[in-house]
Amino acid sequence: MTAEQNGDLLEDDSQQENGDQSSHYGAISPQASSEVQEEPLSTYFEDKVPIPESDNECFSFRKLWAFTGPGFLMSIAYLDPGNIESDLQSGATSDFKLLWVLLYATIIGLLLQRLAARLGVVTGMDLAEICNRQYPTVPRMILWLMIELAIIGSDMQEVIGCAIAFNLLSVGRIPLWGGVLITIADTFVFLFLDKYGLRKLELFFGFLITVMAISFGYEYGLVKPDQGEVLKGMFLPYCPNCGPVQLEQAVGIVGAVIMPHNIYLHSALVKSREVDRKNKKEIKEANKYFFIESSIALLVSFVINLFVVAVFAQAFYNKNNMEVNAVCNATGSPHTDLFPLNNGTLEVDIYKGGVVLGCFFGPAALYIWAIGILAAGQSSTMTGTYSGQFVMEGFLNLKWSRFRRVLLTRSIAIVPTFLVAISKDVQHLTGLNDILNVVQSILLPFALIPILAFTSLTSIMNDFANGLVCKVLGSLVILLVCAINLYFVVVYVTALNSVWLYVIATLVSVVYLCFVIYLVSCYKLFERTMCCYLSDSQICLLEQIAIPKM
C-alpha cells in the first residue's frame, strides 16, 4: 500500500455522512483479534455504559450523568497523597503565594486531559495502544519504561500515604510496613468491585472523593483562612521574596498535579461508554460531555487542594519548631520529639501535618485529617493500578488473565514501596515526596509530546485534529516544562558540590534532551506520513523512507 493510496482511503473516510455505518469515522481502528479470549482484555471494560437518547440537542443532564465517571476517576490523580503533601508544604513554606501555580497547573491539566479523552473517543484506542502502533520498538520500550517509572513513583506516594494514615489512626500501633501490607490487601479487594458493575465502582470513587472534600473542608472551616489572601494568591501570578525553596515547591506542584501516566489513564477510561465511532455527531457529543465532566471533576479537585494549601498557609506559615513543640507539649501530644527545640522553620509532611493539626486544633482535627489522607491514598492506589494495567497492555499488547495482569502491575509498583517502608519510619520520609514530585515533572514530556502529536494528526483524528492554537499552546507548555526541569536539575545538582554528580547529571540531561528531540522529530515525520498497521507489523511510510530507528 502506498502513501497515495492511504491518503485516498482517509479522504473517503472523511467524506462519510453521519449515518454511514460502513467504517469507523476515526482514521484508525482498534486491532481486530482473531483469537477467542476466555475473558475480556481489560477488567474495566467488561461492560459499557449506554448513552440515553435525548430530544434536547444542546444539553441533557441524563446524558451528562451517563458520561460521568471517567473524569472523576482521572481526577483522583490530582488528589493523591503526593498532591496533598505538596499542598501543605506549599502553604507552610510559601504562604498563599503559590496558589496561582496550583490554579494554572490544574487548568493546563484540564486541557491535556481533554486531549486524552478526545484521542480515546475518536480512535477507540488509548494513548499506549497508539504509541505501540506508531513508534518503532526501541523508543516505544523507552517510553513504556519512563511511564512505568512515573507510575512507580506515584504509587510509592499513594501507598505510603495510606500507611501513614493507618499509623495516625492507630496512634502509632500500625507501623509503616504494616500499613503497606494492609493497603496491598484492600486494594486487591476494591479493584474487583468492577465485577459488580462499572457504575458501582465509579460511585465508590465518588464516595472517596466526597470523604476527602468533607475531611479537608472541615479543616478549612476550623482554621478559617483569610479569604482575601486566598483570592490574592489565586489570581495574582506573583511570588515576592521567593527563592530556590519556592521554585522547587512550584516545580513539585506541577509534577504533583499533572502526572504523565494520568494522561494515558484518561484516554483509556473514556472507552467505557458506548459511542458509535461511525457517527461523527456521536463522537462530537461524547467529546463535549466528557469535557464538561472533566471540568467539574477538576474543579472539585482544585477546591480540595486549595483547602489544604490555605489551612497550612494560615496556621503554620513561618512557624518555628520551638513554637510547635511548646504547643504540642502543652496539649500532651506524644509526638513532641518530632519538633526539636530550636528556632528552625517548621518542616511538615502528611504525617507531621496531621500531628500539628492535632496539637493546635485538637485530636478530632488529627483523625479527620488521617481519614482524608486514607481516602486519597486508597482511591489513587486503585487508579494507579488501572494506569499500570492500561499502559502495560497497550505498550506490550498483553493478553493475560485478569489476575495475572493485576498481580504484575501491582508488584512492579509495590515492591520498591515496601522496601522503602521497611528501611524508613514515618518520621524520615519528608524529602521523598519532593523528589518523587520532581521526577513526575521531569517525565511529563513523555506523555505531553505523544498526546499532542497524535491528536494533531488528521491521519489519526480526522476532523477532530487539533487546530493551530492548540498546537502552539501545547508546544509552549512542553518547552516550559523542559526549561523548568533543566533549571531545577542545575540548581539541585550544583548544591551537592560533587564533580562526579555534575558529570552524571550532564550526561543524563543530554540523553533526556536527545530523546525529547527525537519524539518531536517523529511528530514532524508523522505529519507527512501515513502510518498503518498491517499483518501485525508497523509500516510507516514517508516517500518510501521509514522513521529512523534508535
Side-chain angles (χ1 to χ4, degrees), residues 319-375:
K319 284 283 192 303
N320 62 50
N321 290 320
M322 190 81 74
E323 294 176 80
V324 176
N325 185 290
V327 174
C328 288
N329 191 49
T331 56
S333 170
H335 304 290
T336 53
D337 59 313
L338 291 175
F339 313 104
L341 293 171
N342 58 42
N343 290 322
T345 303
L346 174 67
E347 294 182 359
V348 287
D349 51 28
I350 54 176
Y351 178 71
K352 290 182 181 178
V355 171
V356 294
L357 283 171
C359 291
F360 279 76
F361 302 103
L366 186 153
Y367 291 119
I368 291 173
W369 169 262
I371 290 170
I373 295 297
L374 182 61

Side-chain angles (χ1 to χ4, degrees), residues 19 46 77 88 161 191 216 256 306 317 324 472 538:
E46 291 188 0
L88 66 89
L191 277 171
F216 300 131
L306 182 146
Y317 176 62
V324 176
V472 171
Q538 293 174 341

Side-chain angles (χ1 to χ4, degrees), residues 97-143:
K97 298 173 186 175
L98 295 180
L99 270 176
W100 63 273
V101 177
L102 176 63
L103 175 62
Y104 289 175
T106 304
I107 293 172
I108 293 172
L110 172 62
L111 298 178
L112 295 173
Q113 301 298 161
R114 173 177 175 269
L115 296 182
R118 285 167 65 89
L119 183 73
V121 170
V122 174
T123 66
M125 294 187 293
D126 59 61
L127 180 56
E129 291 173 314
I130 294 180
C131 287
N132 182 304
R133 293 190 176 197
Q134 302 295 82
Y135 288 114
T137 303
V138 173
R140 183 174 74 245
M141 296 306 294
I142 294 174
L143 267 179

Side-chain angles (χ1 to χ4, degrees), residues 130-371:
I130 294 180
C131 287
N132 182 304
R133 293 190 176 197
Q134 302 295 82
Y135 288 114
T137 303
V138 173
R140 183 174 74 245
M141 296 306 294
I142 294 174
L143 267 179
W144 171 64
L145 291 173
M146 293 300 99
I147 301 305
E148 285 291 351
L149 182 61
I151 292 172
I152 291 172
S154 176
D155 212 49
M156 289 178 69
Q157 294 174 309
E158 295 155 2
V159 175
I160 289 174
C162 281
I164 289 174
F166 283 122
N167 184 273
L168 287 172
L169 289 170
S170 66
V171 197
R173 293 186 179 89
I174 300 177
L176 195 61
W177 61 266
V180 170
L181 291 178
I182 294 173
T183 303
I184 295 171
D186 62 25
T187 297
F188 271 108
V189 173
F190 290 140
L191 277 171
F192 286 92
L193 282 176
D194 61 0
K195 291 291 286 184
Y196 296 96
L198 180 61
R199 296 298 271 175
K200 291 185 177 65
L201 176 69
E202 292 173 346
L203 285 173
F204 178 68
F205 278 99
F207 166 74
L208 293 176
I209 293 174
T210 303
V211 170
M212 284 183 266
I214 293 173
S215 298
F216 300 131
Y218 169 83
E219 310 287 358
Y220 187 86
L222 195 65
V223 175
K224 296 181 175 61
D226 185 325
Q227 301 304 307
E229 289 298 317
V230 171
L231 293 174
K232 181 180 175 182
M234 282 174 55
F235 297 111
L236 286 182
Y238 178 58
C239 190
N241 302 318
C242 290
V245 173
Q246 285 73 27
L247 175 63
E248 179 182 343
Q249 200 60 55
V251 174
I253 289 173
V254 174
V257 170
I258 309 174
M259 292 188 175
H261 64 279
N262 202 39
I263 294 173
Y264 288 81
L265 172 68
H266 198 196
S267 66
L269 293 175
V270 296
K271 292 157 52 179
S272 61
R273 267 51 183 176
E274 286 185 358
V275 177
D276 184 4
R277 293 182 54 248
K278 304 168 187 176
N279 190 316
K280 180 178 178 180
K281 180 182 176 182
E282 286 198 21
I283 295 175
K284 188 175 181 180
E285 181 181 71
N287 286 333
K288 178 181 75 174
Y289 282 107
F290 275 132
F291 180 66
I292 295 173
E293 185 237 2
S294 296
S295 300
I296 296 171
L298 291 190
L299 175 62
V300 172
S301 75
F302 172 75
V303 171
I304 294 174
N305 283 316
L306 182 146
F307 285 162
V308 178
V309 175
V311 164
F312 282 83
Q314 183 70 35
F316 304 113
Y317 176 62
N318 269 344
K319 284 283 192 303
N320 62 50
N321 290 320
M322 190 81 74
E323 294 176 80
V324 176
N325 185 290
V327 174
C328 288
N329 191 49
T331 56
S333 170
H335 304 290
T336 53
D337 59 313
L338 291 175
F339 313 104
L341 293 171
N342 58 42
N343 290 322
T345 303
L346 174 67
E347 294 182 359
V348 287
D349 51 28
I350 54 176
Y351 178 71
K352 290 182 181 178
V355 171
V356 294
L357 283 171
C359 291
F360 279 76
F361 302 103
L366 186 153
Y367 291 119
I368 291 173
W369 169 262
I371 290 170

Side-chain angles (χ1 to χ4, degrees), residues 450-497:
I451 194 64
L452 181 63
F454 296 138
T455 54
S456 298
L457 295 174
T458 54
S459 58
I460 290 178
M461 299 293 288
N462 213 318
D463 291 349
F464 295 95
N466 295 330
L468 179 61
V469 173
C470 189
K471 291 179 185 179
V472 171
L473 290 177
S475 300
L476 290 176
V477 168
I478 294 171
L479 288 173
L480 179 63
V481 168
C482 290
I484 291 174
N485 291 339
L486 288 177
Y487 177 77
F488 174 79
V489 169
V490 171
V491 172
Y492 186 79
V493 173
T494 303
L496 298 176
N497 294 318

